[in-house]
């Protein structure tokens, strides 16, 4: 540990080794059957008590509020899990050379959506949902599909996680779905 603390560069781990190829096939999977399971015997124990399916099922991203009214009020799909090259979550956002890649938080929006909202490249906009809002600059790009916007996470001055509901969770793991949400945008 002391060697890690004192080094500015990565430290090689003498005992680190990759898992040999074929280990899982040779030793089996960590499931009750020891096999890859499409039908999960573990989840089957909770099928009746928790309403979970032991078979893979599709659950819409926004099943927590599928109403047409909500979709009209918040017409955009927000992707908040994207990363900027050379950034590691929020840890490297304060390093000057990596922050220079994208100095300010931005919402990427398709030019057709921006035109409809009278938003221009560099305009200050608010990305909002019932859970919260952030103010960021608009970046028009055809890399994003219409109806979708993207905000990179990790900026302390524009914490995009505030826009995503803490009630939106994976029913199987309880893991929060903080990488996606419905939202709307307005010029500030």
């Amino acid at each position: 540990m002391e060697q890690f603390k004192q080094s500015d560069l990565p430290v090689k781990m003498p005992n680190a080794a990759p898992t040999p190829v074929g280990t899982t096939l040779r030793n089996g999977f960590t499931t009750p059957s020891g096999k890859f399971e499409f039908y999960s015997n573990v989840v089957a124990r909770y099928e009746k008590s928790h309403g979970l399916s032991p078979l893979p099922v599709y659950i819409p991203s926004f099943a927590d509020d599928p109403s047409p009214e909500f979709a009209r009020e918040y017409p955009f799909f927000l992707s908040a899990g994207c990363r900027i090259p050379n950034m590691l979550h929020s840890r490297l956002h304060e390093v000057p050379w990596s922050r220079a890649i994208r100095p300010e938080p931005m919402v990427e929006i398709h030019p057709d959506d921006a035109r409809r909202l009278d938003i221009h490249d560099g305009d200050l906009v608010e990305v909002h949902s019932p859970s919260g809002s952030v103010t960021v600059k608009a970046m028009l790009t055809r890399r994003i599909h219409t109806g979708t916007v993207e905000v990179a996470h990790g900026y302390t001055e524009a914490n995009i996680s505030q826009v995503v509901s803490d009630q939106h969770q994976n029913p199987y793991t309880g893991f929060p779905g903080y990488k996606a949400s419905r939202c709307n945008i307005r010029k500030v």
Side-chain angles (χ1 to χ4, degrees):
M1 188 53 106
E2 287 307 312
Q3 191 179 2
F4 279 120
K5 290 178 182 177
Q6 293 172 7
S7 178
D8 289 335
L9 300 172
V11 176
K12 290 188 179 190
M13 299 297 299
N15 299 330
T19 302
V21 175
T23 302
T24 302
L25 292 176
R26 190 170 42 260
N27 300 335
F29 289 84
T30 56
T31 61
S33 67
K35 299 176 182 176
F36 181 85
E37 298 180 347
F38 283 104
Y39 180 94
S40 172
N41 289 298
V42 172
V43 175
R45 293 183 217 149
Y46 303 98
E47 185 173 13
K48 287 187 173 69
S49 63
H50 290 78
L52 302 177
S53 174
L55 287 169
V57 294
Y58 172 74
I59 300 171
S61 297
F62 305 111
D64 47 346
D65 194 340
S67 71
E69 296 82 22
F70 190 76
R72 274 193 297 279
E73 191 170 349
Y74 300 98
F76 290 98
F77 176 84
L78 168 66
S79 173
C82 58
R83 290 177 176 76
I84 298 169
N86 301 317
M87 300 281 200
L88 182 61
H89 304 294
S90 62
R91 286 177 258 177
L92 298 177
H93 277 262
E94 301 308 318
V95 175
W97 69 265
S98 61
R99 185 66 181 243
I101 296 168
R102 186 177 293 177
E104 300 175 284
M106 302 181 121
V107 59
E108 296 181 33
I109 182 171
H110 193 279
D112 293 346
D113 289 330
R115 190 172 19 267
R116 223 174 51 270
L117 298 170
D118 192 32
I119 293 173
H120 304 280
D121 210 37
D123 282 352
L124 210 53
V125 298
E126 181 185 64
V127 179
H128 62 97
S129 76
S131 299
S133 66
V134 295
T135 301
V136 294
K137 284 189 175 178
M139 182 172 93
L140 281 55
T141 177
R142 293 195 180 282
R143 191 179 68 81
I144 296 294
H145 290 284
T146 56
T148 301
V149 296
E150 186 174 280
V151 178
H153 70 279
Y155 289 92
T156 54
E157 67 271 34
N159 182 356
I160 195 61
S161 294
Q162 294 173 333
V163 178
V164 182
S165 170
D166 62 356
Q167 300 303 305
H168 184 65
Q169 297 174 345
N170 180 311
Y172 290 84
T173 64
F175 195 79
Y178 58 81
K179 301 296 184 197
S181 179
R182 280 200 180 278
C183 73
N184 207 342
I185 302 170
R186 60 180 157 240
K187 194 188 280 193
V188 175

